[in-house]
Amino acid sequence: MARLAQTAGLTDVQKEILSTVKDFVDKEIIPNAQALEHADEYPKDIVEGMKEMGLFGLTIPEEYGGLGESLLTYALVVEQIARGWMSVSGVINTHFIVAHMVKQHGTDAQKQHYLPKMAAGEIRGSFSMSEPDLGSDVAAIKTRAKKDGDTYTIDGAKMWLTNGGSSNLIALLARTDEGAEKPHQNLTTFLVDKTEGFGEVAPGLTIPGKIDKMGYKGVDTTEAVFDGFRIGADKVLGEAPGKGFSYMMDGVEVGRVNVAARACGIAIRAFELAVEYAQQRKTFGKAIADHQAIAFKLAEMATKVEAAHLMMVNAARLKDSGARNDVEAGMAKLIASEYCAEVTQEAFRIHGGYGYSKEYEIERLMREAPFLLIGEGTSEIQKTIISRGLLREYKSRG
């Protein structure tokens, strides 16, 4: 059993789930990740394996066919999957966020319709806030949904949809005319059904194709173009126009815990590769791990892995308790993503010239780690969230 990134206080069920997932990662993901990533190939067989294990319904309540597990369990599962290949964790991340939003805010009819099929992996979700001209400034969204009786007509362009082609459900944030003074109170979340694939996937909705990326290969990242797309008012999440921003932010909070977990997974794998290589590679008559310069690097890397894991676990447990966790989730995402980049780069340096070769796994991790500095909000956005939360809690009485 590895010493790093252990979690105290887990139930027997949680331990069994994590053991099963780790075994799946070691046998099915790690041996195939390099070839799939280099070919930018969607991991169909791996996804089918996750369906069979019930991972798509991990946090969906048992009454809807899911396993009813906690955010902590999910985060620890994601940590293991990302340790194998981050792109695979991306396949289930947006699905999880959409399922969480439907579970927390959907009407009874929406829950009955979507959650059982989402638990089985028959319906797979993607998540859409960003646009070509905006990312973090969500209140400035331009995509509009105009109401006409019992339907809306949506026009606009969305950007950076993970699983945009492989999903058949999009949780879409669009601007509606609610007459509210605050911009974010004029935003509504829609549940958009579509077919899988690229091109026109529904009348008035086009998924142009995959965006070619530096890393995060295999999983499809796309645009979505809405041109006169018509949707019923019953597809408004919770049938609550104007509440889309708060619903999306709830989804983003759990998404930030997820990104922190992914960062922990990559950092763990980078450390594993580095500590193994450092004991095999010899210079000046001894393993480079026996040189103090390398030994100190390993010590610092392990400390960062452990710190990031503990903060991620704390943020997940806080959310599970029902408490507000925006500050803690921001802290976990900030520290885990930054430490992931640092640990991965140190592992790359330990590998020397071999780390620059595509034959070595660390080359892939070097292209994947930077994504986590940006996804679900940049480090600067996390600092903004953290500082605002702290100033709210520590408000001066002077």
Side-chain angles (χ1 to χ4, degrees):
M1 175 66 75
R3 181 185 181 91
L4 288 181
Q6 297 301 299
T7 308
L10 296 181
T11 66
D12 289 341
V13 172
Q14 287 174 315
K15 290 176 183 177
E16 184 178 348
I17 290 171
L18 291 173
S19 176
T20 301
V21 171
K22 185 179 186 302
D23 188 57
F24 179 77
V25 168
D26 289 339
K27 292 179 179 178
E28 303 297 334
I29 298 182
I30 289 177
N32 297 302
Q34 287 293 90
L36 289 168
E37 199 272 347
H38 291 167
D40 197 8
E41 182 179 337
Y42 189 77
K44 292 180 182 178
D45 292 342
I46 292 172
V47 171
E48 288 302 315
M50 293 195 297
K51 282 184 184 179
E52 291 175 11
M53 287 193 291
L55 295 187
F56 284 94
L58 188 61
T59 61
I60 292 174
E62 292 182 14
E63 63 185 288
Y64 299 108
L67 298 179
E69 275 296 327
S70 63
L71 174 60
L72 174 62
T73 306
Y74 180 79
L76 295 174
V77 165
V78 166
E79 182 181 59
Q80 276 301 320
I81 292 174
R83 173 181 153 266
W85 183 18
M86 186 182 74
S87 293
V88 178
S89 67
V91 171
I92 57 173
N93 177 37
T94 58
H95 175 86
F96 162 69
I97 293 175
V98 177
H100 172 82
M101 291 167 61
V102 172
K103 178 182 73 173
Q104 294 297 112
H105 309 294
T107 64
D108 287 341
Q110 289 169 347
K111 292 175 185 177
Q112 291 290 345
H113 176 72
Y114 287 110
L115 292 180
K117 293 178 182 178
M118 294 186 83
E122 295 173 16
I123 291 180
R124 302 237 307 276
S126 57
F127 180 80
S128 180
M129 287 198 306
S130 295
E131 296 184 357
D133 295 329
L134 67 91
S136 300
D137 186 11
V138 177
I141 277 174
K142 296 178 182 177
T143 298
R144 289 191 173 274
K146 186 176 180 180
K147 191 173 185 183
D148 180 15
D150 292 333
T151 63
Y152 288 83
T153 300
I154 301 178
D155 292 284
K158 289 292 185 176
M159 195 74 178
W160 307 119
L161 280 76
T162 300
N163 301 306
S166 54
S167 64
N168 46 17
L169 172 66
I170 301 175
L172 169 76
L173 189 63
R175 182 170 299 283
T176 52
D177 185 12
E178 306 303 326
E181 291 185 11
K182 296 181 178 180
H184 68 272
Q185 292 177 347
N186 291 305
L187 297 174
T188 298
T189 298
F190 293 87
L191 299 173
V192 177
D193 297 310
K194 70 176 190 68
T195 60
E196 297 177 25
F198 302 97
E200 190 172 44
V201 293
L205 171 57
T206 300
I207 305 293
K210 292 200 303 183
I211 297 170
D212 193 16
K213 308 181 297 289
M214 177 176 78
Y216 203 26
K217 303 280 190 178
V219 64
D220 47 296
T221 304
T222 74
E223 300 173 66
V225 180
F226 293 84
D227 184 10
F229 177 80
R230 295 181 67 79
I231 188 170
D234 61 329
K235 294 296 184 179
V236 170
L237 179 61
E239 294 191 9
K243 293 188 177 180
F245 180 81
S246 62
Y247 293 167
M248 284 281 183
M249 289 304 102
D250 182 31
V252 167
E253 262 184 30
V254 296
R256 285 183 179 135
V257 174
N258 174 284
V259 171
R262 284 199 266 179
C264 289
I266 291 179
I268 290 167
R269 185 59 181 163
F271 176 80
E272 289 174 349
L273 295 171
V275 76
E276 177 73 14
Y277 182 84
Q279 293 174 83
Q280 294 176 353
R281 176 70 168 172
K282 291 182 169 56
T283 61
F284 305 103
K286 60 182 178 180
I288 62 173
D290 293 332
H291 293 285
Q292 190 178 68
I294 301 300
F296 279 10
K297 282 183 184 291
L298 294 172
E300 291 177 3
M301 291 161 68
T303 302
K304 289 175 179 178
V305 167
E306 190 72 4
H309 174 83
L310 290 170
M311 292 194 73
M312 178 270 290
V313 168
N314 178 62
R317 281 183 162 149
L318 195 61
K319 185 73 172 177
D320 281 332
S321 74
R324 184 171 181 172
N325 82 330
D326 54 338
V327 170
E328 289 77 9
M331 287 178 169
K333 196 275 178 183
L334 171 66
I335 208 76
S337 61
E338 293 287 349
Y339 278 177
C340 173
E342 293 171 15
V343 168
T344 302
Q345 187 173 88
E346 290 295 358
F348 171 77
R349 291 181 174 184
I350 287 171
H351 279 75
Y354 289 107
Y356 207 64
S357 167
K358 282 186 174 289
E359 293 181 20
Y360 282 72
E361 193 176 337
I362 192 63
E363 182 271 342
R364 169 169 61 83
L365 302 189
M366 277 291 290
R367 289 183 287 105
E368 291 178 340
F371 168 77
L372 299 172
L373 298 169
I374 301 168
E376 305 293 356
T378 63
S379 292
E380 289 72 25
I381 289 295
Q382 305 313 314
K383 291 174 185 177
T384 300
I385 293 167
I386 294 164
S387 61
R388 285 177 179 172
L390 292 174
L391 291 170
R392 183 175 62 245
E393 293 294 326
Y394 289 86
K395 193 173 180 63
S396 173
R397 294 188 176 92

